[in-house]
Amino acid sequence: MNFKAVLFGVLLAAMTTAAIADECALKQLASLDVSIDANGISIPAALEGTNGYFYVNPDYSTSELAQVAVDGLKLRQLPVDRRRGFTLAYGHEILKYVDASIRLGGRFEFKYPVQVTSPPWQTDPKYLGLIGRDILAAFEIEFDLAHGKMNLFASNHCPRQVIYWTKSAPVAVVPLGAVHSPGEPRGIGLFQFPMQLDGKDVIGEMTFVPKDEVSSLTAAKLFGADANGPSLAFKQLSIGDIALLNPHFDVERIDPKTGCKVGDFEEYNAQAPSSVQVTSCSGGSDVRLGIPALKKLRIFLSFKDKTLYVTAADAN
């Protein structure tokens, strides 16, 4: 036997394996400070070279620019082609967009058409807009709200090799929903996933808004609860092996006839053309996790794997 040849083959295989592992190792691109207020979470970002803040919410399929910011920077606004559909945001039809340049982390620039809206938080000029899944999907993202961080990673990592902050704590591996908004790229489905509430299977959603909510229909149907009050308390919310004890939810009023949030149905139809009037809603979540619950978790959102990886916030 040629021992030199065998030894060379073993060394070559080891070097190749190490090179492959290094090539797809998790690579952090940026670490952004997160601020939390009554409207959600925000990060520092720039619009057309002007520094400010953008709210972040992966529950939103598309990003937005605040009308006040667009006017203040004197950005050129273009009319939306209404033949492509009708969109309502914050009680107003979206009529304009801007070919905008948005920069994250001081180095990642996105330039493409972004819709202009009039959100309730636009009275503060430092908030320039909202970043949704259309931009966020360019990265793999860690949300560490307990420590005020949102970390961006490259998507060319080894499959399912993303939890770097613990080797022993329980990790929930949760598939994201397969439902897609019209016009969204495949693989960026609605931010929905399975969980359990007091031992019953429910569809959850991470909303990154200031409150946790449970659907009034879910509360009544699954738990026989009186959903007429403002809030409900439960014993345990479980995402895989991760449990949150004694969760408390505001009740989200859902019309049992339409499946729509009370008020939304009428508000939309009051402004929408007759050709796109809504008669019912579907695909809603049973439970919506906002900032109170998310601060107790550490979350890695992998668009590549179409998966959420979740640990307790204090896992180490």
Side-chain angles (χ1 to χ4, degrees):
M1 178 181 292
N2 188 334
F3 289 101
K4 288 185 177 180
V6 171
L7 179 59
F8 177 76
V10 171
L11 290 173
L12 180 61
M15 291 171 63
T16 302
T17 301
I20 293 173
D22 183 66
E23 187 176 299
C24 71
L26 191 64
K27 300 178 182 67
Q28 185 168 332
L29 302 175
S31 181
L32 306 176
D33 292 330
V34 169
S35 299
I36 300 175
D37 61 25
N39 298 301
I41 70 171
S42 61
I43 58 171
L47 172 60
E48 297 293 339
T50 297
N51 293 325
Y53 293 85
F54 274 75
Y55 284 103
V56 175
N57 196 332
D59 200 40
Y60 281 62
S61 61
T62 56
S63 300
E64 306 172 359
L65 298 179
Q67 183 71 64
V68 168
V70 170
D71 292 341
L73 294 175
K74 296 181 171 56
L75 302 182
R76 184 184 179 211
Q77 302 177 59
L78 301 170
V80 170
D81 185 354
R82 294 191 68 183
R83 293 174 297 179
R84 301 184 63 181
F86 173 85
T87 305
L88 194 72
Y90 311 108
H92 302 281
E93 182 183 0
I94 295 176
L95 298 172
K96 301 173 184 177
Y97 72 93
V98 170
D99 284 321
S101 171
I102 300 173
R103 185 178 292 270
L104 302 181
R107 54 187 287 212
F108 302 104
E109 185 172 7
F110 299 84
K111 190 171 181 64
Y112 70 104
V114 183
Q115 61 191 16
V116 179
T117 64
S118 297
W121 42 260
Q122 73 168 357
T123 52
D124 189 334
K126 70 181 179 183
Y127 292 106
L128 306 174
L130 179 143
I131 295 174
R133 288 195 298 272
D134 51 355
I135 288 179
L136 296 176
F139 307 99
E140 304 284 80
I141 305 174
E142 175 195 354
F143 291 101
D144 183 8
L145 299 189
H147 299 98
K149 288 293 183 180
M150 174 177 142
N151 298 318
L152 307 180
F153 296 84
S155 59
N156 60 339
H157 57 78
C158 304
R160 296 181 175 270
Q161 302 299 311
V162 298
I163 299 298
Y164 66 90
W165 58 84
T166 181
K167 295 184 181 299
S168 58
V171 179
V173 181
V174 186
L176 286 173
V179 180
H180 295 261
S181 299
E184 273 200 290
R186 298 300 297 174
I188 313 181
L190 290 177
F191 209 50
Q192 295 177 324
F193 50 92
M195 61 174 62
Q196 287 194 326
L197 185 60
D198 282 1
K200 297 183 184 293
D201 293 333
V202 294
I203 298 298
E205 185 175 359
M206 291 187 180
T207 64
F208 291 83
V209 296
K211 58 185 178 180
D212 304 322
E213 295 179 311
V214 61
S215 158
S216 58
L217 299 185
T218 299
K221 182 178 179 180
L222 289 186
F223 302 98
D226 180 4
N228 293 317
S231 61
L232 291 169
F234 295 87
K235 296 179 180 178
Q236 180 171 300
L237 174 71
S238 301
I239 305 172
D241 294 331
I242 309 301
L244 299 181
L245 301 179
N246 305 313
H248 190 275
F249 295 94
D250 286 8
V251 176
E252 182 183 36
R253 305 287 175 198
I254 304 297
D255 187 334
K257 295 180 180 179
T258 64
C260 302
K261 186 175 180 179
V262 172
D264 284 1
F265 181 91
E266 296 80 5
E267 182 180 56
Y268 180 90
N269 283 345
Q271 300 190 52
S274 58
S275 59
V276 292
Q277 291 282 300
V278 171
T279 57
S280 64
C281 301
S282 61
S285 302
D286 300 306
V287 174
R288 293 161 58 87
L289 299 187
I291 291 171
L294 299 181
K295 288 180 70 174
K296 300 175 183 178
L297 305 170
R298 194 163 178 175
I299 302 155
F300 195 101
L301 167 58
S302 175
F303 289 102
K304 176 183 178 179
D305 297 341
K306 303 183 184 70
T307 300
L308 279 178
Y309 301 89
V310 184
T311 73
D314 57 358
N316 52 46

